[in-house]
Each structure stands twice: as structure tokens, then as C-alpha cells.
Amino acid sequence: MSQPFDILPILLRGAGITIELTLVSAVLAFGVSFLVGFGRLAKFKLIRIIAGVYTEFFRGTSLLVQLFWVYFVLPLFNVNLTAMQAGILILGLHFGAYGSEVVRSSILAVPKGQTETGIVLNMKPRQILWRIILPQAFLIMIPTFGNYLIELLKATAIVSLITLNDLMFQASMLQNTTLRTTEVFGMVLLIYFCLAYPLTLGVRWVERKISVGRA
């Protein structure tokens, strides 16, 4: 295979790890977003405080430091995680903290009249939440969640610093062994773009659909 495509198979193996890391982290972040988002709106003050502290901690500290703490510090307390597990955990918790604010604000954005309508129909609070509030709030969440998914994909590059053989790790190894810096990182740029651009198009398509639906 001619240059620069001779390095492509190695980079694509790393891209496979990047995709896996992105998908699993996104699932975790999605679940955390709703769990903590609901916690921010809970009736009990203690739950609201815990959810608020969690959100501010993960939003207010460096993603890189969080990753290093989990991978390098937790083993000192006999908690050992693989590089993949550490990456999934921290990316999921970090972006889940941002997503929780999206959940909270989207639920609050639904007009109070909708809740009053549910009460008039003699619906229970849980029914009002699942049948009236959440379907409308979810439409508000989708565009921002889509943008966070793209950011999560790009953030996966930091896991190369804990030796997970993702796209960036493979690129760094290739650069060190071949010294073909321009070719290696040029290919990496293209691969990240090819991964992120379909997500960007998907987010724009969803935003247009939502805009049309509200018109």
C-alpha cells in the first residue's frame, strides 16, 4: 500500500477503540444526565444538594485531572480499573454532569400549564411526568445532547495519555516510530472529521425536524 495510506489500517484499529469508547461513554452519560437531572429537581433537599455538588464538581474540574485521578490514584486505594474502564467512567460522569443541567433546564422549560392540564385530567404526578412533561422536554434536550455527543467523541483523545490504544495513541506510536508527523496527524484529522461530521449532520437534521414540528 502506497504512502500515506500504508498507515491507515493501524489508525483504523485505533478508530475502532475510539468508536467503542464513545458509544459506551455516551450511554453512561445519558443515564447519569437523567439520574442527576431528576435529582436536581427532587423534593428532598438533601438529594438536590448531592446532585448539585456532583454537577458542580465535575463541571468545575479538569477532565484530564479526573481521568488521571481515577487511573493513577484509585489503585493506591486498591481500586484498579483498566484504561478502557477508566475512560468510560470519567467521560460518562463528566459529560453526564453537563447533560444533567440540560435535563433540568429542559424540564423547567415546559410550561406550567401542561402540569395543570394533567392535574385537571386527574393524572398522578408520575403520569404527568412521563406522559406530558418528559416527551416535550426531550424535544428540547435533543439538539444539545447531540452537540455533547460530538464533544464527547473529540474528548476521547485524552485517553491516549493513559495508554489506551485508541486513535490518538496509535497515531502517537506511529509518529514516534516512523517520524512521518505530517502524514500521521493529517490522517488522524481526517478520521476524526469523518467520525464527527455524520453526527453533526444528524444533529442539524433533528434540529430542523424539531423546528418544523414547533412551527
Side-chain angles (χ1 to χ4, degrees):
M1 189 179 293
S2 60
Q3 295 185 6
F5 297 104
D6 58 322
I7 61 176
L8 188 57
I10 298 175
L11 293 177
L12 289 180
R13 285 200 297 271
I17 299 296
T18 294
I19 293 171
E20 180 184 355
L21 179 62
T22 300
L23 293 177
V24 181
S25 299
V27 171
L28 176 59
F30 188 77
V32 169
S33 296
F34 277 89
L35 181 64
V36 179
F38 287 151
R40 298 286 301 278
L41 299 171
K43 293 181 179 180
F44 300 103
K45 185 177 181 180
L46 179 60
I47 296 177
R48 294 199 305 272
I49 291 174
I50 293 173
V53 169
Y54 166 86
T55 301
E56 295 307 320
F57 175 80
F58 276 94
R59 292 174 62 184
T61 54
S62 165
L63 175 60
L64 180 59
V65 174
Q66 293 166 14
L67 181 65
F68 277 15
W69 206 92
V70 166
Y71 190 69
F72 294 114
V73 178
L74 285 187
L76 300 178
F77 300 93
N78 294 319
V79 179
N80 296 286
L81 298 176
T82 66
M84 175 64 86
Q85 291 169 340
I88 290 171
L89 179 64
I90 287 303
L91 287 169
L93 294 179
H94 185 88
F95 282 92
Y98 282 91
S100 68
E101 183 60 25
V102 176
V103 172
R104 186 191 71 84
S105 60
S106 298
I107 290 175
L108 293 177
V110 177
K112 292 184 178 179
Q114 300 292 322
T115 302
E116 295 170 357
T117 300
I119 295 173
V120 169
L121 295 174
N122 202 29
M123 299 175 70
K124 297 178 180 180
R126 182 172 295 182
Q127 291 176 313
I128 294 173
L129 175 65
W130 287 97
R131 296 184 182 181
I132 296 178
I133 304 299
L134 279 183
Q136 298 179 66
F138 193 67
L139 293 177
I140 302 173
M141 301 174 200
I142 289 175
T144 307
F145 274 157
N147 290 325
Y148 280 157
L149 179 60
I150 296 169
E151 291 302 315
L152 192 157
L153 167 65
K154 293 186 286 186
T156 58
I158 70 167
V159 300
S160 63
L161 298 175
I162 59 171
T163 68
L164 181 63
N165 58 343
D166 71 324
L167 177 56
M168 271 304 299
F169 182 83
Q170 297 285 15
S172 297
M173 292 298 99
L174 277 173
Q175 192 273 333
N176 289 334
T177 56
T178 66
L179 301 181
R180 293 159 58 184
T181 304
T182 302
E183 295 172 60
V184 169
F185 289 109
M187 294 292 289
V188 169
L189 279 175
L190 288 175
I191 292 172
Y192 270 115
F193 177 77
C194 290
L195 293 176
Y197 192 59
L199 295 178
T200 303
L201 293 178
V203 170
R204 290 175 182 171
W205 181 82
V206 170
E207 288 176 340
R208 286 196 300 269
K209 287 293 183 180
I210 292 174
S211 299
V212 171
R214 289 177 177 174

